[in-house]
Amino acid sequence: MITSSLRKCNFMDYFLGITLTTDLKWVGFEQVHCIKTTGNCLKTSSGGWRKSFKMGNWIINHGLAYFILVVWMAINIFLFVWFYFLYDLGDRFFYTRHLLGSALAWARAPAAVLNFNCLLILLPVCRNLLSLVRGSFVCCGRTMRKQLDKNISFHKLVAYMIGLMTAVHIVAHLLNVERYYNSWHGEYDALSMALSRLNDSGNTTYLNPIRSNTTTPNLLVFTTIAGITGVIITLALILMITSSMEVIRRSYFEVFWFTHHLFIVFFAGLVFHGAGRIVRGQTNANPPYNITFCKDHIEDWGKNKMCPVPQFAGGFPQTWMWVIGPMVLYVCERLLRFIRYIQAVKYRKIVIRPSKVLELQLVKNGFKMDVGQYVFLNCPAISQLEWHPFTMTSAPEEDFFSVHIRSVGDWTQKLISIVEHLPEGAQGPKMGVDGPFGTASEDVFDYEVAMLVGAGIGVTPFASVLKSIWYKFKDSNPELRTRKIYFYWLCRETHAFEWFADLLQVLEREMEERGMGDFLTYKLYLTGWDQSHATHVMVHADADTDVVTGLKQKTNYGRPNWDKEFEQVCKENPTSVVGTFLCGPVVLATVLSKKCVKYTDMDPRKTKFYFNKENF
């Protein structure tokens, strides 16, 4: 280790290192250090450290989430196995199995799993329900509330299970239809032929749904309730899943939004799908009926007491009983959203920030928020149906709520264009607001120490946190539990820092005046720059304030060395519980999650890190 002879490299050191040292190479965005005696930059990444994985650390950060997944998977497996053996071994379905083979159990077992997951699929997207549950779990601690922030991930996981089970269900039933057809035409044994030709005066106790020589497999699929609804459900599911792919959702959000509302068609078809009762079981299979004897003595059916003519009926449709509760909850959810939509929203202020960022300050009667929460916005002038989530950047102590909107898609570009063409002093376009809804950032003040990491526009929830801190200090709020905050902001361009640099300047001055300069440690990282910017930094290298932000804290260039940052937090807070909060890309989330596991100490008297990520 050469740490003792190193100091952190500022931009001037880095620039001179490039110009004076011919064999120095760019080392990506990893931490760069400089030897004091020479001024040359050397890469001293901590990647060479021996990685240590502690199961206990992993359990602290991820244990409950994986326990919930294990329980969910166990229920799926139980339902699959239970219904598989019910149809594969039950006497009631002996003749049905003879006709269809193992495809019967392979069709019915996935159906049971589908019922369970269709019960779950709507719950994670009931935002108001989640906010209510989050509030009721205050007594249960932060670990339980953290799971609610993974609602979209769980929603996707349940959707994958529905897709998989649907595929198995379809393949098995296609085989069943083929077996029905072949049995009717006598391509199997005599028992299959006899079972297919069973009939009564009302044509109600049959086993084979193919009732005439003119009925083909295609006709059966497209003329029965089970067949038609099955096709509709499958098409709706395919469109919803394919349009949910990341590339489509990011580039063509409208396609994702509209096709996802096919869930209405999906659930409607699901409710009526079982009404076809295409899979039938024997109704008179109990003693004195003797299946072992009767299956080999077809000629005795109806003549022997032990062998009455087999009678069959479809099972009572059960899917609606699984999904009716979530459907009612979701309808209530949408009604509440509609009520919020029609409530008047007024503009307090409209500001176009650098880098095409729109700041809206809005006022709505009865609106109450907490730090880090988000709202959904709808602009009828753009689209009556589209709602987009935005984290609020205002503090609960303010008499308005604000959002910062970056131009990243058709909807945001149209909104910014409308605002840019407004006459001065005019109100903006009509805006519908749904929310606020809870996020992980709500729990910031539950931790003694907090690490806030924002990437680009991902700084928005932490702007709310920092503003709230300013108000709490201004009012000398005694309920402030947090005693230390580390704030990291990563941006690709210098203009982005202008969004909230004024807020940081106020906080910097406020902390100094109160003698609490150590309360907030913030570090800004610029991950992209050009030659003109490098020249400008060189000229003003000796200035008291940063040339980019005007703050006393100088901007860092490159990306943070997270090992070094976590070590510093551990050193300065040896006995604290540290909440690590991120609003940024998945790649960074993976890195920080691993660091939280790595630097969490199992000793209850030492530092522990809990990872929290914003999800929309």
Side-chain angles (χ1 to χ4, degrees):
M1 293 292 290
I2 57 173
T3 308
S4 59
S5 62
L6 297 178
R7 62 181 173 86
K8 188 172 181 181
C9 186
N10 59 27
F11 191 87
M12 193 68 179
D13 295 321
Y14 173 76
F15 188 84
L16 291 175
I18 291 281
T19 55
L20 299 178
T21 310
T22 57
D23 62 344
L24 181 64
K25 296 181 179 179
W26 170 242
V27 292
F29 287 132
E30 295 189 26
Q31 181 67 48
V32 179
H33 294 81
C34 305
I35 299 178
K36 290 182 179 180
T37 54
T38 63
N40 295 328
C41 294
L42 297 175
K43 179 182 176 183
T44 60
S45 173
S46 60
W49 292 1
R50 181 179 298 176
K51 295 181 179 180
S52 60
F53 180 83
K54 299 179 180 179
M55 181 59 70
N57 298 1
W58 180 87
I59 290 174
I60 288 174
N61 274 277
H62 306 293
L64 183 57
Y66 280 88
F67 173 76
I68 293 172
L69 289 181
V70 168
V71 171
W72 170 74
M73 183 59 72
I75 294 174
N76 282 301
I77 293 172
F78 170 78
L79 289 172
F80 189 97
V81 172
W82 176 270
F83 280 90
Y84 182 92
F85 284 114
L86 175 66
Y87 285 90
D88 195 54
L89 301 176
D91 288 343
R92 183 172 175 237
F93 300 99
F94 178 86
Y95 287 131
T96 315
R97 282 196 304 276
H98 185 85
L99 215 61
L100 302 179
S102 60
L104 169 66
W106 280 102
R108 299 309 302 156
V113 178
L114 281 169
N115 286 339
F116 172 63
N117 284 279
C118 287
L119 176 150
L120 297 176
I121 191 70
L122 288 177
L123 298 179
V125 292
C126 291
R127 300 190 291 264
N128 291 287
L129 175 64
L130 293 181
S131 295
L132 178 64
V133 173
R134 171 183 283 275
S136 66
F137 274 152
V138 170
C139 61
C140 300
R142 62 178 73 94
T143 304
M144 179 63 74
R145 295 198 301 275
K146 275 178 59 178
Q147 310 316 313
L148 300 177
D149 299 322
K150 301 174 183 177
N151 60 316
I152 299 301
S153 297
F154 185 67
H155 176 75
K156 293 178 181 178
L157 197 61
V158 172
Y160 295 148
M161 182 63 75
I162 289 175
L164 175 61
M165 291 296 104
T166 298
V168 176
H169 184 72
I170 290 172
V171 171
H173 267 317
L174 290 176
L175 294 174
N176 287 338
V177 170
E178 187 68 21
R179 294 276 299 189
Y180 277 138
Y181 180 79
N182 293 338
S183 295
W184 176 266
H185 289 279
E187 296 188 17
Y188 301 131
D189 57 11
L191 179 58
S192 298
M193 182 71 169
L195 291 169
S196 296
R197 298 290 176 166
L198 285 174
N199 204 351
D200 61 16
S201 59
N203 196 28
T204 59
T205 62
Y206 61 87
L207 174 59
N208 193 331
I210 294 180
R211 308 307 301 149
S212 69
N213 291 327
T214 59
T215 304
T216 64
N218 288 339
L219 194 62
L220 181 65
V221 170
F222 290 102
T223 58
T224 61
I225 294 176
I228 294 173
T229 55
V231 171
I232 293 173
I233 290 170
T234 302
L235 291 176
L237 187 63
I238 290 172
L239 289 172
M240 285 191 290
I241 291 178
T242 53
S243 65
S244 299
M245 297 172 60
E246 189 76 11
V247 62
I248 294 178
R249 189 163 55 87
R250 294 291 184 186
S251 303
Y252 307 98
F253 183 83
E254 292 80 3
V255 174
F256 159 76
W257 180 259
F258 288 116
T259 56
H260 229 59
H261 279 74
L262 288 172
F263 81 91
I264 299 172
V265 176
F266 176 84
F267 274 92
L270 200 64
V271 168
F272 291 102
H273 183 62
R277 306 191 184 194
I278 198 169
V279 175
R280 304 168 72 84
Q282 188 176 356
T283 59
N284 59 345
N286 296 326
Y289 195 90
N290 189 333
I291 293 179
T292 305
F293 175 81
C294 297
K295 68 182 179 64
D296 297 323
H297 297 82
I298 303 173
E299 67 280 359
D300 290 335
W301 287 2
K303 302 175 182 178
N304 190 316
K305 286 185 178 182
M306 292 190 301
C307 295
V309 177
Q311 296 181 353
F312 300 89
F316 181 75
Q318 296 183 358
T319 300
W320 69 271
M321 293 188 289
W322 287 84
V323 301
I324 189 65
M327 288 174 67
V328 170
L329 285 174
Y330 192 77
V331 169
C332 294
E333 170 87 12
R334 296 307 289 257
L335 286 174
L336 183 56
R337 293 184 193 179
F338 177 74
I339 292 172
R340 287 176 170 171
Y341 167 73
I342 62 177
Q343 292 175 335
V345 177
K346 295 182 180 180
Y347 289 84
R348 182 179 181 271
K349 191 176 182 181
I350 300 175
V351 182
I352 301 292
R353 298 287 185 182
S355 302
K356 296 283 282 186
V357 172
L358 171 65
E359 179 185 356
L360 300 179
Q361 294 183 8
L362 306 171
V363 178
K364 183 179 180 181
N365 289 335
F367 189 91
K368 295 181 180 179
M369 62 164 289
D370 202 347
V371 293
Q373 291 186 325
Y374 68 98
V375 292
F376 275 79
L377 299 184
N378 169 269
C379 182
I382 301 174
S383 171
Q384 291 278 355
L385 300 176
E386 288 186 47
W387 291 80
H388 295 265
F390 297 96
T391 304
M392 288 180 287
T393 54
S394 51
E397 293 83 359
E398 295 174 315
D399 59 357
F400 64 91
F401 64 97
S402 64
V403 293
H404 282 66
I405 301 172
R406 184 163 58 101
S407 179
V408 291
D410 293 342
W411 191 89
T412 53
Q413 288 173 2
K414 290 176 182 177
L415 178 61
I416 292 175
S417 176
I418 291 174
V419 170
E420 286 177 335
H421 291 87
L422 287 174
E424 188 170 349
Q427 281 281 307
K430 180 183 177 181
M431 191 70 69
V433 176
D434 183 26
F437 301 109
T439 66
S441 298
E442 279 188 70
D443 299 332
V444 165
F445 297 132
D446 290 339
Y447 292 90
E448 303 169 14
V449 180
M451 293 178 68
L452 313 179
V453 184
I457 197 68
V459 73
T460 50
F462 308 132
S464 175
V465 173
L466 295 175
K467 284 184 180 180
S468 185
I469 289 173
W470 183 80
Y471 280 107
K472 290 181 188 301
F473 273 106
K474 183 179 178 182
D475 300 335
S476 300
N477 191 329
E479 296 181 0
L480 183 61
R481 178 182 174 186
T482 305
R483 56 181 179 79
K484 179 69 177 179
I485 287 183
Y486 298 85
F487 175 53
Y488 305 86
W489 189 6
L490 289 67
C491 285
R492 293 180 180 176
E493 51 189 18
T494 57
H495 293 301
F497 287 123
E498 298 176 23
W499 300 336
F500 302 115
D502 53 348
L503 170 62
L504 291 174
Q505 288 176 353
V506 171
L507 282 171
E508 195 174 54
R509 185 172 61 253
E510 185 78 17
M511 299 304 161
E512 286 185 359
E513 291 176 357
R514 293 177 177 269
M516 299 185 66
D518 294 334
F519 177 83
L520 175 65
T521 297
Y522 64 92
K523 298 183 180 181
L524 311 182
Y525 290 84
L526 184 64
T527 58
W529 61 86
D530 54 24
Q531 184 60 42
S532 62
H533 179 76
T535 304
H536 183 62
V537 170
M538 287 180 60
V539 172
H540 299 85
D542 296 329
D544 293 333
T545 58
D546 185 66
V547 296
V548 177
T549 64
L551 296 165
K552 293 182 179 180
Q553 173 70 43
K554 297 297 183 71
T555 299
N556 299 285
Y557 295 84
R559 288 188 170 88
N561 180 334
W562 291 114
D563 282 302
K564 182 178 178 182
E565 298 301 330
F566 274 80
E567 287 171 7
Q568 178 184 349
V569 173
C570 286
K571 183 179 179 180
E572 295 178 358
N573 309 276
T575 61
S576 298
V577 176
V578 182
T580 303
F581 296 84
L582 168 69
C583 188
V586 176
V587 175
L588 184 55
T590 302
V591 172
L592 293 179
S593 179
K594 290 180 179 178
K595 298 304 179 187
C596 286
V597 171
K598 179 178 179 180
Y599 288 97
T600 293
D601 200 302
M602 283 302 296
D603 188 337
R605 298 167 297 179
K606 295 186 178 180
T607 310
K608 287 181 173 56
F609 291 87
Y610 288 87
F611 180 69
N612 304 267
K613 183 181 182 301
E614 300 292 319
N615 295 284
F616 300 107

